[in-house]
Amino acid sequence: MIDVKHLTKWYSQVLAVDNISFRVEKGRIVGFLGPNGAGKSTTLKIITCFLPASSGTVTLNGLDVLSESLAVRRQIGYMPENVPLYEEMRVREYLTFRAALRDIPAKRRPAAIDRVCERCWLSSPEDMTRRRLGELSRGYKQRVGLAEVLLHNPPVLVLDEPTIGLDPAQIRAMRELIRELSGDHTVIFSSHILAEVEQTCDDIIIIAGGRLAAAGTPAELRQRVAGPSRIVAELKGAAPEDIAKGVEGLAGISAVESSQHNHWTRLDIQAGDDDPRKDIFQLAKTQNWDLRELRRATGSLEDFFVQITYEQSMRTDRAAG
Amino acid sequence: MGKTFSIARRELAGYFYSPLAYVIGALFLCVCAFKFAPPPGFISGSREWFILVPHQQASLRTLFEMMGAAMVVAAPLLTMRLLSEEFHVGTIETLMTAPVTDAQVVLGKFLGVLGFYLALLGSTLMFLVLMFIFARPDIGVVVMGYLGMILLGAAFLAVGLFASSLTRHQLLAAAAAIVILAFFSLLMSPAAAHLGEPWNQAAARLNAMNYLKSFARGLFDSRAVVFFLALTGGFLFLSIKMVESRRWR
Ligand SMILES: Nc1ncnc2c1ncn2[C@@H]1O[C@H](COP(=O)(O)OP(=O)(O)OP(=O)(O)O)[C@@H](O)[C@H]1O
Ligand SMILES: [Mg+2]
């Protein structure tokens, strides 16, 4: 659906996006994750035909964003970062204006506006449609921006940090709304918050310092992060050293750390690619040890993300120094 | 075409919400009113400068010249927000990612400010009403004078719109437009007076105020029409190119 190939963007002397390639399939929800200044907004602006790329191509359904810009823009609903709005207009007036720009025939505009106002919590519980945009609170501006994006029911939605500035209830509502949109809509949204992306998205694209750091489904990434498996076991029935030594003797185990938890010996085991849990269980059975816990520890994406962010700041420090 | 009018209507409505537009409009009318009928006791030496003065033949000609000169400042102040504000607030991002062409954006904005200008020009008709009460003005001068003002206004607003496409700072846009307009009006009369042979001719040809003068005498000057239309078209074209260039930079 969306094909980004070797995308690079220079802002005069600043390299904002550095040779990024990825592909977004139809109907997927894609989370665009990265620390501040990673180049998320820049990439989204290029996909939505607002900025030209310095090199590389972006196509949507085979349409090039540069040469077939109008056709691409018809299929995209874009909510920019910070949701810029015309302060002096009223909500309904603004949506009517946007509907006209979006090729919605005059007769169908009121119905379309009612639909999105309802969906984005603008008409109920409190009717905000007559308020001036300049007088709305941050969260309500965000909702107007979202309503605008949904007006013409575009197949592709591009949302730059849609949940920033919302209250917790609204964040949850926004996530649910994004989930509801999946299937017949392709959604790309950016965020700094890993948990949010992990819960909402089918695919995650992590960028840092303008480069693609990782991409895949949350499960794939988690697996990649966990690396060679780590196993936690708690055993009792022999001296801690003996237990540790016994487990260390099994095939495919590279390191064992043990600690005491009132009479139980807790082992932190680094294993290779093969899962040694069955062997550990067999060992406990033959040695007649008690076993109360035996599990694979999954590495956290959070750690991975923090590490990437850290690496980016190291890189920029070095570039600056 | 529909989208052009949607943009124009939004822009026009924006002027009626904007306090600045009212201030500019009011100042424009005040300047013209002062010229038209000076406050009692104000007339001293040069009574000929004013229009509606007892025991003096009233002529609308100088009123149109006054309006033309006022537009050198009024037009840039009216147009400065057109694109600069969009750049500054960031609404340009939603506008340019909607399926509208650059020409639709520029023309829509131009028609919007032209609409406000026509409303402003319409309100100067009150001077005419007074004129018809107290005197018998020449209908030809009235019709041609207003035609001239519409053409001059369109050209000046196009210049202002172009200046607004250059920068995100409204005041810079206004200053740039005033400089360009001063070149086409105030600067050209001393140039025509002082320069040597071929250049003074050219300077006279480039002076918008000269063209307005012939309309204000009640004459239909086709060269003047061509001059104003060329100025309008040229600067609208440049504005479109400026907006377009943002897609390539
Ligand atoms: N208009 C601009 N001119 C010059 N440099 C820019 C411009 N916009 C962005 N940059 C630079 O490009 C880089 C990427 O910026 P971008 O806005 O894409 O980051 P981001 O991932 O959206 O960050 P954030 O999470 O803070 O929104 C940054 O280093 C930024 O300073
Ligand atoms: Mg951003």
Side-chain angles (χ1 to χ4, degrees):
Chain A
M1 176 110 209
I2 301 172
D3 246 319
V4 176
K5 289 202 188 111
H6 306 295
L7 184 67
T8 299
K9 174 71 188 176
W10 291 87
Y11 288 109
S12 58
Q13 297 298 311
V14 182
L15 179 60
V17 175
D18 185 6
N19 198 11
I20 283 186
S21 302
F22 61 87
R23 200 183 144 75
V24 175
E25 297 299 336
K26 187 171 185 306
R28 306 286 280 185
I29 302 180
V30 179
F32 220 60
L33 198 62
N36 287 126
K40 303 183 293 295
S41 302
T42 305
T43 310
L44 297 185
K45 282 176 192 174
I46 295 169
I47 294 175
T48 53
C49 310
F50 181 65
L51 287 179
S54 305
S55 69
T57 57
V58 179
T59 55
L60 186 143
N61 279 336
L63 300 168
D64 185 82
V65 293
L66 266 188
S67 54
E68 284 138 315
S69 167
L70 274 181
V72 171
R73 280 184 268 162
R74 265 189 209 103
Q75 303 194 32
I76 293 187
Y78 171 46
M79 181 168 102
E81 196 171 24
N82 300 327
V83 202
L85 296 169
Y86 301 104
E87 305 263 294
E88 80 279 0
M89 294 182 97
R90 293 177 194 281
V91 173
R92 208 180 170 88
E93 197 185 358
Y94 175 68
L95 292 175
T96 310
F97 169 65
R98 294 298 301 185
L101 295 191
R102 288 296 185 181
D103 302 295
I104 300 174
K107 262 187 280 172
R108 287 193 10 233
R109 280 175 212 160
I113 291 169
D114 289 340
R115 175 177 62 81
V116 295
C117 283
E118 183 138 347
R119 192 144 193 201
C120 300
W121 322 281
L122 282 166
S123 48
S124 66
E126 201 183 344
D127 187 16
M128 305 298 277
T129 56
R130 290 163 181 284
R131 299 282 186 95
R132 276 204 209 292
L133 294 170
E135 294 162 3
L136 293 182
S137 70
R138 164 100 211 222
Y140 273 98
K141 284 186 187 163
Q142 203 95 1
R143 297 186 206 180
V144 173
L146 189 70
E148 194 273 310
V149 163
L150 297 176
L151 256 184
H152 60 302
N153 204 18
V156 179
L157 298 173
V158 178
L159 313 172
D160 202 347
E161 297 184 19
T163 57
I164 204 165
L166 295 181
D167 63 46
Q170 284 305 317
I171 289 180
R172 180 172 299 179
M174 176 72 83
R175 278 188 211 150
E176 274 162 19
L177 192 138
I178 290 176
R179 282 236 65 95
E180 277 171 32
L181 290 171
S182 72
D184 45 346
H185 296 80
T186 308
V187 184
I188 303 184
F189 76 91
S190 73
S191 173
H192 304 120
I193 305 163
L194 178 89
E196 170 172 293
V197 171
E198 214 178 340
Q199 281 171 28
T200 323
C201 296
D202 303 318
D203 296 304
I204 301 181
I205 294 170
I206 302 181
I207 65 172
R211 303 231 183 93
L212 197 74
T217 64
E220 276 169 15
L221 286 184
R222 235 177 273 130
Q223 190 163 18
R224 175 121 52 101
V225 171
S229 50
R230 224 182 93 225
I231 286 168
V232 176
E234 283 192 24
L235 296 148
K236 194 169 77 173
E241 309 82 62
D242 295 341
I243 293 179
K245 222 171 263 155
V247 172
E248 220 167 352
L250 292 173
I253 304 260
S254 46
V256 175
E257 257 175 63
S258 73
S259 56
Q260 279 315 110
H261 290 263
N262 34 342
H263 308 304
W264 290 86
T265 304
R266 186 188 177 90
L267 297 180
D268 218 324
I269 303 158
Q270 294 289 335
D273 290 338
D274 291 334
D275 191 338
R277 279 180 293 183
K278 190 163 146 274
D279 301 337
I280 295 171
F281 174 70
Q282 289 295 347
L283 178 70
K285 210 167 93 182
T286 50
Q287 300 285 337
N288 222 2
W289 296 336
D290 293 334
L291 176 67
R292 74 168 183 184
E293 182 171 16
L294 184 59
R295 68 181 166 89
R296 256 174 92 111
T298 46
S300 90
L301 266 184
E302 192 78 48
D303 294 344
F304 180 55
F305 185 50
V306 168
Q307 189 191 336
I308 285 174
T309 313
Y310 176 73
E311 278 168 9
Q312 176 190 319
S313 65
M314 291 299 286
R315 245 205 322 270
T316 44
D317 280 355
R318 232 176 327 178
Chain B
M1 216 51 219
K3 291 181 195 171
T4 310
F5 282 120
S6 293
I7 294 172
R9 202 163 53 211
R10 199 204 71 77
E11 216 55 63
L12 182 59
Y15 279 108
F16 286 101
Y17 286 129
S18 144
L20 183 67
Y22 283 106
V23 171
I24 298 164
L27 282 179
F28 180 80
L29 290 180
C30 282
V31 167
C32 296
F34 182 69
K35 173 93 178 170
F36 183 71
F42 210 91
I43 315 161
S44 52
S46 56
R47 23 191 312 140
E48 303 82 46
W49 194 79
F50 299 103
I51 297 171
L52 214 57
V53 179
H55 318 297
Q56 183 181 303
Q57 194 179 5
S59 156
L60 272 177
R61 189 170 56 81
T62 56
L63 178 66
F64 289 120
E65 286 169 14
M66 187 73 206
M67 287 202 262
M71 276 301 282
V72 173
V73 177
L77 292 179
L78 283 177
T79 51
M80 65 182 183
R81 48 164 272 195
L82 284 174
L83 283 159
S84 302
E85 195 180 32
E86 299 255 6
F87 297 141
H88 189 78
V89 179
T91 43
I92 191 73
E93 225 171 298
T94 42
L95 185 62
M96 300 307 269
T97 51
V100 291
T101 63
D102 303 336
Q104 282 171 327
V105 169
V106 168
L107 286 182
K109 300 221 161 240
F110 175 70
L111 290 180
V113 68
L114 191 65
F116 185 77
Y117 170 70
L118 290 180
L120 186 60
L121 203 58
S123 58
T124 65
L125 287 173
M126 67 185 173
F127 298 127
L128 273 196
V129 173
L130 289 174
M131 198 77 170
F132 274 101
I133 293 172
F134 292 110
R136 234 178 313 118
D138 184 342
I139 299 286
V141 169
V142 171
V143 172
M144 282 303 141
Y146 273 97
L147 177 65
M149 278 310 292
I150 291 172
L151 287 170
L152 174 135
F156 281 23
L157 295 174
V159 169
L161 175 57
F162 168 68
S164 185
S165 74
L166 299 175
T167 167
R168 59 201 296 264
H169 303 289
Q170 296 195 24
L171 284 177
L172 270 185
I178 289 176
V179 168
I180 303 175
L181 290 180
F183 175 83
F184 281 111
S185 55
L186 310 180
L187 197 69
M188 282 303 140
S189 32
H194 297 297
L195 285 178
E197 227 324 295
W199 299 110
N200 58 359
Q201 295 276 337
R205 290 270 160 79
L206 281 178
N207 190 344
M209 293 306 159
N210 273 353
Y211 294 110
L212 182 66
K213 267 186 192 130
S214 49
F215 280 111
R217 281 192 213 99
L219 306 171
F220 182 84
D221 182 352
S222 55
R223 271 191 317 179
V225 175
V226 169
F227 173 78
F228 285 130
L229 289 184
L231 210 56
T232 312
F235 276 95
L236 285 181
F237 177 77
L238 288 179
S239 312
I240 294 172
K241 287 293 151 199
M242 269 320 287
V243 171
E244 227 169 57
S245 77
R246 295 195 170 252
R247 294 200 194 282
W248 299 101
R249 269 185 285 159

